[in-house]
Amino acid sequence: MSPIDLRSDTVTQPTPEMRRAMYEAEVGDDVYGEDPTVNRLEAMAAQRMGKEAAVFVASGTMANLVCGLTHCQRGDEALIGSRSHILMYEVASLAAFGGVQLRTVPNDERGMMDPDQVEAAMRPKDDHQPRTAMVAVENTHNRCSGAVLDSEDIGALAEVAHRHGAAFHIDGARIFNAAVALDAPPAELARPADTITFCLSKGLSCPVGSVVCGGKETIARVRRNRKMVGGGMRQAGIIAAAGIVALESMVGRLKEDHDNAKRLAQGLARLPGITLDPTRIQTNIVIFGVNDRPAETFLEAFKARGVLASFPERGKVRMVTHYGITGQDVDEALNVAEAITRGRAYGSR
Ligand SMILES: Cc1ncc(COP(=O)(O)O)c(C=O)c1O
């Protein structure tokens, strides 16, 4: 029996239609700009985000890196959220490869940064200080339980960045989840961004890939940086083909993941020893506190009963719904959670 894998939406398997599209994909050398399938995916992505151009990259981490390298020079500073993926999980790549100082502004529970705090963190023109070259936001916010920023939030942060001459970048790994939750076109959320990235390999279920969208000249520079970090991928149409299927057929179904996550959160919130406000769950990520035992013990008990979850930070457990998780899986995960929290289950099922 395969486990109910709630660790992440990155564990999703490609759909049968994706596998067929990948098999049949027309390909060429994408470093020469000659892969028709990549070109088509990039054009579709740019159109969805309301931008002039797009470039296909290997991962969300690479996407953020090449955008940072495009906006920042060595010795510059980038302002990022204190709980952001760029800060926590990207091996300080922009510092390591770009010589960029990463400075944090607190993320609140919604993943928002206070525009006044961003304003206060902006460097004045001063030969002693680094230049603030980029402000980056994350939408949806992974460590803030998939919280969503709306276009007003984003506009307020972009306004501060642009007024100070800094670029504004959106790590939109799950921007389609945000758009579905808000019932807004993704282009509306992307509007003030100089660059926006989104991942194909998360809730959209592709095996590989992310896309960076932005203005034509900016994307030309992103493309050069992609080459520099070894991201020129030749017959990449094989994987881009799955991305086209994803944009055409996988966005609409994200609501199902959100509904499953909300139901999961409502069920978990009723159990003893769990801290969770289910009304905060907007998309597909459910992070909750475990009060009466170490979160690791909790995860082990789940695993022994065929449910996998992840451990985002001390005292917390994360469960993510996705294409591979059905309503029945949610029921089963809740049954297991109930048995564990009510002390009935420390063996395996
Ligand atoms: C918000 C966010 N940005 C970027 C990434 C990085 O994506 P990848 O795993 O494709 O490098 C992730 C991955 O989970 C993410 O959640």
Side-chain angles (χ1 to χ4, degrees):
M1 194 172 174
S2 54
I4 296 170
D5 196 343
L6 295 162
R7 287 172 300 167
S8 175
D9 47 10
T10 57
V11 303
T12 41
Q13 297 280 320
T15 65
E17 197 189 347
M18 284 178 189
R19 289 181 189 271
R20 227 172 4 254
M22 291 167 77
Y23 180 74
E24 290 169 359
E26 211 187 319
V27 296
D29 190 331
D30 179 51
V31 176
Y32 294 160
E34 291 174 3
D35 189 304
T37 308
V38 172
N39 291 345
R40 186 159 162 239
L41 171 66
E42 291 177 347
M44 280 174 79
Q47 195 260 335
R48 293 287 172 101
M49 293 298 149
K51 300 295 182 195
E52 288 173 346
V55 57
F56 183 47
V57 296
S59 67
T61 301
M62 182 185 279
N64 285 329
L65 172 61
V66 292
C67 290
L69 291 174
T70 299
H71 298 310
C72 308
Q73 305 293 315
R74 296 187 79 78
D76 282 347
E77 189 166 79
L79 293 183
I80 59 175
S82 57
R83 299 163 86 177
S84 63
H85 196 276
I86 294 178
L87 180 78
M88 306 298 299
Y89 304 118
E90 298 186 8
V91 208
S93 61
L94 194 49
F97 300 126
V100 176
Q101 178 160 285
L102 298 176
R103 182 172 177 201
T104 59
V105 174
N107 280 126
D108 67 15
E109 280 190 321
R110 299 191 305 124
M112 183 59 179
M113 297 183 281
D114 179 343
D116 287 341
Q117 291 188 4
V118 174
E119 176 95 45
M122 285 289 174
R123 301 286 188 171
K125 282 200 175 68
D126 175 342
D127 280 347
H128 299 84
Q129 298 197 32
R131 183 180 72 110
T132 309
M134 177 176 87
V135 175
V137 299
E138 189 173 312
N139 198 18
T140 67
H141 203 289
N142 186 341
R143 271 186 80 137
C144 295
S145 214
V148 172
L149 300 180
D150 63 19
S151 51
E152 212 172 296
D153 296 324
I154 293 167
L157 295 170
E159 189 279 322
V160 178
H162 289 151
R163 185 155 39 76
H164 288 267
F168 185 68
H169 171 68
I170 300 179
D171 174 355
R174 297 182 181 82
I175 197 71
F176 286 105
N177 294 84
V180 166
L182 293 166
D183 198 17
E188 189 180 308
L189 302 175
R191 189 168 297 132
D194 298 290
T195 45
I196 177 162
T197 71
F198 67 85
C199 289
L200 293 162
S201 59
K202 298 195 164 65
L204 300 184
S205 300
C206 292
V208 186
S210 283
V211 186
V212 178
C213 305
K216 218 166 159 188
E217 280 176 25
T218 306
I219 293 302
R221 288 192 290 131
V222 172
R223 198 177 285 283
R224 245 180 104 69
N225 285 321
R226 180 188 71 167
K227 185 73 182 119
M228 189 170 73
V229 301
M233 294 190 290
R234 308 299 176 185
Q235 285 73 32
I238 292 281
I239 47 178
I244 292 171
V245 174
L247 290 182
E248 282 172 343
S249 64
M250 297 300 281
V251 175
R253 62 155 306 287
L254 293 174
K255 185 172 180 311
E256 207 179 299
D257 299 341
H258 300 177
D259 291 345
N260 278 336
K262 282 174 199 163
R263 203 159 61 77
L264 180 64
Q266 284 157 3
L268 288 167
R270 287 191 207 109
L271 299 176
I274 286 180
T275 310
L276 172 61
D277 176 357
T279 63
R280 300 195 74 87
I281 305 305
Q282 294 175 282
T283 59
N284 67 330
I285 302 180
V286 180
I287 297 179
F288 55 93
V290 179
N291 313 322
D292 56 355
R293 71 198 79 180
E296 296 92 320
T297 316
F298 196 83
L299 285 179
E300 280 309 311
F302 260 99
K303 191 173 173 186
R305 292 175 65 85
V307 180
L308 305 181
S310 64
F311 175 50
E313 59 190 291
R314 198 179 148 91
K316 299 260 171 86
V317 169
R318 186 183 81 153
M319 294 182 169
V320 184
T321 55
H322 51 76
Y323 171 63
I325 297 296
T326 62
Q328 242 177 331
D329 293 331
V330 171
D331 292 338
E332 176 61 16
L334 285 172
N335 286 340
V336 170
E338 172 137 24
I340 291 169
T341 54
R342 302 207 191 274
R344 296 201 302 270
Y346 276 95
S348 56
R349 71 173 168 174

